[in-house]
Each structure stands twice: as structure tokens, then as C-alpha cells.
Amino acid sequence: MSKLFIVPTPIGNLKDITFRAIEVLKEVDLILAEDTRTSGKLLKHFEITTPMQSHHMHNEHKTINHLIQKLKSGTTIALISDAGTPAISDPGFLLTRACIENSIDVDCLPGATAFVPALVNSGLPNDKFVFEGFLPVKKGRQTRLLLLAEETRTIVFYESPHKLVKTLGHFCEYFGEERLVSVSRELTKLYEETIRGTTKEVLEYYTNKPPKGEIVIVVGGKNKN
């Protein structure tokens, strides 16, 4: 019976993959990978020989109809990204939606997602939070920041290392220099680091120590008082 499996992969530490994820990746007919070279290393490590096909943000619109036909013909497919859970700031949403529209079963496995440990590690309220992913690079960035400046829930962002200082500067400008923030980078890896403080303090830290690796920023919400 055809089915699409959404399979999370480790965000750094290979031990964070689940037994079920390995089992599914071995049993499906095809694996869709964001970068087959990156995923190839993971599959080789766990002795998974299932065929792979490239599926990323630049080709997903063009390949969906073909993949839906493969699924309808009885092919079982697993979708993975370079790291973490597919569709969380990665390809996956479009294919998932297409499967649902075509009455094809979708099974999302639980597993690694970068923002969860970063949010919990931050020490900021996490009973209610907003996940923003990556901010707009240019168009719409100011509008988004002005809107989020009034958000009272904790806010979670993804950011690249070379844009972190600029983004923290914008947080100082739009959220205020005393807003609490936590920056986690290289989660689950050897040089994992979480820096907490005010936007001003964390900006000063990373201005003097340029960051490396994947980054999650957690910002406290606006004080209701």
C-alpha cells in the first residue's frame, strides 16, 4: 500500500536517529533527500541501501506530480532533509499537501528538530511560543519585526552564522536592548553552545566572537506589563 513517510534525521549527533527511522528507511522503495551527498553519508553509516532521489526547494514544484503518480502506483517513499524534521524550514510541505489532496497516507515519524532543545535550553517561557523560522532577508523584514515587537509569546527563529550579528542588531532596534534572548548553535555537536542574556549583551558577545554552525535564536515575548 502506497504511503509517504516523513522521517527526521539527526541535526548533528548520529545517535539521535530513532530505531524506527532506520527501519523505515531500509524498508521503503525510495528515499527523497534534500542533498543526496549529505544523506548518502548518513545512509552509509547505518548500512541503508535504499535508492535515493534529489528533492529540494529548487525542484520540488516540478517533481510533485511525478512523485504522486509513483505513490499511486504503490511505491512507498520516505522524505528526509539534510538534518532535522522535513517541512520545518525545509522542503516537505508541498509534497505532504499533495499526498493529502490525493488521499495518499502520510506518516510523520517523531524525531530530531533543532528548535525544540533550543527552546527548552533557553530558560524562557515555553508553555506558549511562536515559531518564525528564517526572517525575510530584505523585503518584508521591517514589517515582520514591527509586528513581532508586540508579540507576548516566546519567539523562535532560525539564522545563518554570517547574518546573526545583523539580526541581533535588528532585535535591539525593534525589540529593545533589554529583551531577553538565547542563542544556541551547533546543537548536539562537539562545540554546542548556548549564550543567554539581553539582546545587547548577546549582540556584544557575538560581535567579538563571530559564530559558526547552525543557529537557533529564542527571544522572550514583550512584557505584558
Side-chain angles (χ1 to χ4, degrees):
M1 188 175 181
S2 62
K3 181 181 283 190
L4 174 69
F5 292 91
I6 310 295
V7 182
T9 53
I11 60 175
N13 192 322
L14 292 180
K15 294 178 182 178
D16 290 335
I17 198 167
T18 67
F19 291 125
R20 185 180 172 206
I22 295 172
E23 183 180 82
V24 167
L25 292 176
K26 286 183 176 181
E27 292 181 353
V28 294
D29 300 311
L30 176 67
I31 296 172
L32 301 179
E34 189 177 2
D35 186 328
T36 55
R37 293 167 299 181
T38 299
S39 297
K41 298 173 185 176
L42 175 74
L43 300 191
K44 183 178 180 181
H45 180 83
F46 289 106
E47 300 179 345
I48 298 168
T49 59
T50 307
M52 271 194 299
Q53 179 179 317
S54 178
H55 183 80
H56 49 73
M57 62 181 292
H58 301 296
N59 74 355
E60 58 179 336
H61 288 85
K62 300 175 183 177
T63 59
I64 282 179
N65 290 336
H66 174 67
L67 291 171
I68 291 298
Q69 292 308 312
K70 287 182 76 71
L71 285 158
K72 283 183 175 181
S73 70
T75 303
T76 54
I77 296 177
L79 173 67
I80 61 177
S81 62
D82 288 348
T85 301
I88 305 295
S89 292
D90 276 324
F93 160 68
L94 293 177
L95 182 57
T96 300
R97 182 176 64 180
C99 285
I100 293 168
E101 290 173 347
N102 286 273
S103 300
I104 296 168
D105 286 344
V106 178
D107 190 352
C108 182
L109 278 60
T113 303
F115 79 80
V116 174
L119 174 62
V120 176
N121 274 340
S122 72
L124 294 167
N126 53 39
D127 55 330
K128 294 183 179 68
F129 64 91
V130 181
F131 176 74
E132 281 291 314
F134 290 95
L135 280 166
V137 177
K138 293 180 180 179
K139 186 178 180 181
R141 188 179 181 91
Q142 182 182 38
T143 302
R144 195 73 200 153
L145 286 167
L146 285 169
L147 178 67
L148 291 172
E150 301 303 313
E151 176 60 66
T152 57
R153 295 168 292 183
T154 298
I155 315 167
V156 182
F157 301 91
Y158 284 165
E159 190 53 280
S160 59
H162 65 280
K163 294 178 182 174
L164 177 62
V165 169
K166 178 182 177 180
T167 295
L168 289 171
H170 285 157
F171 289 172
C172 286
E173 179 182 352
Y174 290 93
F175 300 163
E177 294 184 346
E178 297 305 310
R179 186 77 71 93
L180 294 178
V181 64
S182 173
V183 174
S184 292
R185 65 178 192 87
E186 295 289 78
L187 286 165
T188 78
K189 300 177 185 178
L190 182 61
Y191 297 106
E192 177 177 339
E193 174 184 70
T194 295
I195 301 298
R196 309 171 185 86
T198 64
T199 52
K200 182 180 180 181
E201 290 169 343
V202 178
L203 172 60
E204 289 176 351
Y205 176 86
Y206 282 113
T207 298
N208 295 320
K209 186 179 178 182
K212 296 179 181 179
E214 301 299 318
I215 289 167
V216 184
I217 312 172
V218 184
V219 182
K222 182 179 180 180
N223 195 318
K224 295 179 182 179
N225 299 323

